[in-house]
Amino acid sequence: MGKKQVPSLVKDERLISRRRAQIVKAAVGLFNEKGYHKATTREVANASGFSIGTLYEYIGSKEDILFLVCDSVYDEVVSKWEKLLDSNLRGLERLRQVIESYFRVVDDLQDEVLVMYQETKSLSGEALRYVLEKEIRIKNVFEKELIHAREEGFLTMDDRQLSLAAHHILVVGQMWTFRRWAVQKEYSVDEYIEYQLRQLIYGFGVNEQAPDKQPVPQKEE
Amino acid sequence: MGKKQVPSLVKDERLISRRRAQIVKAAVGLFNEKGYHKATTREVANASGFSIGTLYEYIGSKEDILFLVCDSVYDEVVSKWEKLLDSNLRGLERLRQVIESYFRVVDDLQDEVLVMYQETKSLSGEALRYVLEKEIRIKNVFEKELIHAREEGFLTMDDRQLSLAAHHILVVGQMWTFRRWAVQKEYSVDEYIEYQLRQLIYGFGVNEQAPDKQPVPQKEE
DNA sequence: GGGACCTGAGCGAGCGTTCATTCGACTGCG
DNA sequence: CGCAGTCGAATGAACGCTCGCTCAGGTCCC
């Protein structure tokens, strides 16, 4: 409505974002359970403790809810992540910690990450671009760290490989949430993280020649 | 009706599966473009060259279409895959070829794989279980191959790691299609495959000590 | 009484699904 | 060959329902 009179604006803003947080929280649960399309606005309203009418005081459309969710998830991921990162580790240890922390945050915010990951594609045009932009920012963190490690002499990748590696880390994290009913039933977070770190850094741990074929000069174990 | 006279039955079956193939083909395109939920049955009918009425001669419900798609995709993946695999390579080379072939098939059937991967969760109960069952079968192929490579002495993983590795390969392949607007814009299939094979087998290619630093007596962690 | 906040019945567009009807091909009889 | 009869594939208007969204009217507190 056009009734923008100045005085109440500040209070409004605060209330609005508090309410929106409520809505986001409720929506995450519902979207997780039934998916964005099958969850109805009435259900979201109910779950956040409002009537539909009230819900629409704070959002413009159903898609707005999804956008709010996606938007807040990234911020939450990044802020939680940064809290785990203050150390002044260097080199490989640092890289390891950056990746592990990321995995742990994703695990912690599973529901949110999953919704965002699965439903991003339902956003349209500008909102989609905005959310993807945030994803790229996370990829860039890894890229920066990898470049760092390379400069310190731990890695030998070229730029293309490095960019792919950064993307790869990002996605491997998200994958933990994606098929979780299949994956998380079988493996624990710790096991998964341990495996992925090993996998990322050392690969399968291959013996180039099968040891029973010829005795290979083995390095330090 | 009770008018089951034998002659026309066979003809029916054939017609039905031909029509269904038509429907699946059209549906894959549409579901890719707009997603399962936003695509309407009328659109599917149009795209496959039928009226809605006719569409419903060959399917029972909208979900049936999705099920048909998912069902046929797995079969197609496996059959195309097997065609690339007849060689009698051994050891690491064999493992490499199995993985590369899988990636190539997934790339080839992008649209189908993507739909299946994204929309599987919209299937309900029995249909869902049926489709996941097929996915597990693919994972098992990798598991078998890894066990093979281990028996030949190329790998040293324990069973848990091996199971995770099999799952990991499966997912890395699917990832190629999943965020393709982001990934495939930047990297070619060949580049991606080459990177992933390297990554899987050798990891980042780490120098444990930075060469410019003094060699620190490193222990096992 | 008046403003801020909330309510939920109601609207209408859009959807999946149905079914009375059409239509072309085929069969068999004269 | 011509005509009547039968079949079943194809059609699309219509139906019933769901869901996103609105708005006229509450409630409550200052």
Side-chain angles (χ1 to χ4, degrees):
Chain A
M1 326 276 153
K3 50 182 89 167
K4 295 288 159 80
Q5 274 342 331
V6 187
S8 64
L9 232 162
V10 174
K11 195 177 151 200
D12 264 353
E13 290 289 321
R14 272 215 202 111
L15 183 65
I16 287 175
S17 53
R18 213 167 347 114
R19 295 284 196 250
R20 282 187 176 165
Q22 254 178 286
I23 293 168
V24 165
K25 200 174 152 196
V28 166
L30 271 166
F31 291 174
N32 246 293
E33 199 183 316
K34 339 181 62 180
Y36 170 69
H37 289 283
K38 285 195 181 169
T40 69
T41 48
R42 257 172 272 254
E43 287 172 321
V44 174
N46 258 343
S48 34
F50 305 126
S51 64
I52 342 136
T54 311
L55 181 77
Y56 273 88
E57 292 287 315
Y58 299 105
I59 61 161
S61 70
K62 191 186 180 186
E63 198 184 308
D64 273 7
I65 305 176
L66 185 56
F67 179 72
L68 286 175
V69 170
C70 293
D71 191 33
S72 76
V73 169
Y74 264 116
D75 292 344
E76 219 175 328
V77 166
V78 171
S79 91
K80 286 211 174 196
W81 194 16
E82 279 169 351
K83 266 177 209 144
L84 294 175
L85 276 190
D86 68 329
S87 96
N88 33 22
L89 289 174
R90 311 237 110 222
L92 223 52
E93 283 312 308
R94 180 181 166 86
L95 188 58
R96 212 186 217 108
Q97 199 214 30
V98 171
I99 298 172
E100 172 166 359
S101 310
Y102 168 69
F103 285 178
R104 295 220 177 267
V105 171
V106 169
D107 179 56
D108 206 41
L109 298 174
Q110 283 198 46
D111 290 354
E112 287 84 351
V113 170
L114 183 59
V115 167
M116 189 219 69
Y117 198 56
Q118 281 195 330
E119 312 288 6
T120 289
K121 68 178 190 317
S122 302
L123 290 171
S124 56
E126 203 187 350
L128 179 60
R129 243 171 291 123
Y130 180 85
V131 171
L132 289 180
E133 169 61 31
K134 291 208 167 187
E135 187 172 281
I136 289 174
R137 240 177 285 159
I138 294 188
K139 182 190 157 184
N140 287 344
V141 174
F142 291 123
E143 208 161 327
K144 215 186 73 199
E145 290 297 332
L146 287 169
I147 288 175
H148 214 151
R150 186 173 63 180
E151 278 166 0
E152 287 181 322
F154 292 99
L155 299 177
T156 51
M157 306 178 188
D158 63 34
D159 286 350
R160 300 289 291 172
Q161 290 171 341
L162 199 138
S163 159
L164 266 162
H167 176 264
H168 187 229
I169 299 168
L170 180 79
V171 173
V172 167
Q174 292 167 337
M175 281 301 155
W176 171 244
T177 70
F178 193 58
R179 282 274 157 109
R180 56 171 156 178
W181 15 283
V183 190
Q184 299 192 16
K185 202 175 54 190
E186 294 197 51
Y187 316 106
S188 71
V189 212
D190 292 320
E191 201 176 8
Y192 187 79
I193 290 179
E194 196 198 317
Y195 172 80
Q196 290 296 350
L197 280 175
R198 230 184 93 97
Q199 166 65 53
L200 282 168
I201 296 180
Y202 303 110
F204 284 163
V206 162
N207 305 320
E208 275 296 335
Q209 273 94 34
D212 51 334
K213 300 218 172 149
Q214 347 175 308
V216 184
Q218 202 83 0
K219 302 186 180 179
E220 357 71 38
E221 52 265 63
Chain B
M1 322 285 150
K3 53 181 85 167
K4 293 289 159 76
Q5 272 345 333
V6 186
S8 65
L9 233 161
V10 174
K11 194 179 152 197
D12 265 352
E13 289 290 320
R14 275 221 196 105
L15 184 64
I16 288 176
S17 54
R18 212 167 347 114
R19 294 284 195 249
R20 283 188 175 163
Q22 252 178 290
I23 293 168
V24 165
K25 200 174 152 195
V28 165
L30 270 166
F31 291 173
N32 246 294
E33 199 182 317
K34 337 181 65 182
Y36 171 68
H37 289 285
K38 284 196 181 168
T40 69
T41 48
R42 259 171 273 257
E43 288 171 319
V44 174
N46 258 342
S48 33
F50 304 128
S51 63
I52 342 135
T54 310
L55 183 75
Y56 274 87
E57 290 287 317
Y58 298 105
I59 60 161
S61 70
K62 191 184 180 189
E63 199 185 305
D64 274 6
I65 305 176
L66 184 57
F67 178 71
L68 286 175
V69 170
C70 294
D71 191 32
S72 76
V73 170
Y74 265 116
D75 292 343
E76 220 175 330
V77 166
V78 170
S79 91
K80 284 209 175 197
W81 195 15
E82 280 170 349
K83 267 177 209 145
L84 295 175
L85 276 190
D86 68 328
S87 97
N88 33 22
L89 290 174
R90 309 236 111 224
L92 223 53
E93 282 312 307
R94 181 182 165 86
L95 187 58
R96 212 185 219 110
Q97 198 215 30
V98 170
I99 297 172
E100 172 166 359
S101 310
Y102 169 69
F103 285 178
R104 294 218 178 268
V105 171
V106 169
D107 179 57
D108 205 42
L109 299 174
Q110 284 200 44
D111 291 354
E112 287 84 351
V113 170
L114 184 60
V115 167
M116 190 219 69
Y117 198 56
Q118 281 193 331
E119 313 288 7
T120 290
K121 66 176 192 317
S122 302
L123 290 171
S124 55
E126 202 188 351
L128 179 63
R129 241 171 294 124
Y130 180 85
V131 172
L132 288 180
E133 167 61 32
K134 291 208 168 187
E135 187 172 281
I136 289 174
R137 239 176 286 159
I138 293 188
K139 183 190 154 184
N140 287 345
V141 173
F142 292 123
E143 210 162 324
K144 214 186 72 197
E145 290 297 330
L146 288 168
I147 289 175
H148 214 152
R150 185 173 64 180
E151 279 168 358
E152 288 181 323
F154 292 100
L155 300 176
T156 53
M157 307 176 187
D158 63 34
D159 286 350
R160 299 290 291 172
Q161 290 169 340
L162 199 139
S163 159
L164 267 161
H167 177 263
H168 186 230
I169 299 169
L170 182 79
V171 170
V172 167
Q174 291 166 337
M175 271 160 33
W176 171 245
T177 70
F178 193 58
R179 282 273 155 110
R180 57 172 157 178
W181 14 283
V183 191
Q184 300 192 15
K185 203 174 54 193
E186 295 196 51
Y187 316 105
S188 72
V189 212
D190 292 321
E191 201 176 8
Y192 187 80
I193 291 179
E194 195 197 318
Y195 171 81
Q196 290 296 352
L197 279 175
R198 229 184 93 98
Q199 166 63 55
L200 282 169
I201 296 180
Y202 302 112
F204 284 163
V206 164
N207 304 318
E208 276 296 335
Q209 277 93 35
D212 51 337
K213 303 218 170 154
Q214 29 177 324
V216 184
Q218 199 88 359
K219 304 216 167 186
E220 340 84 323
E221 60 275 33

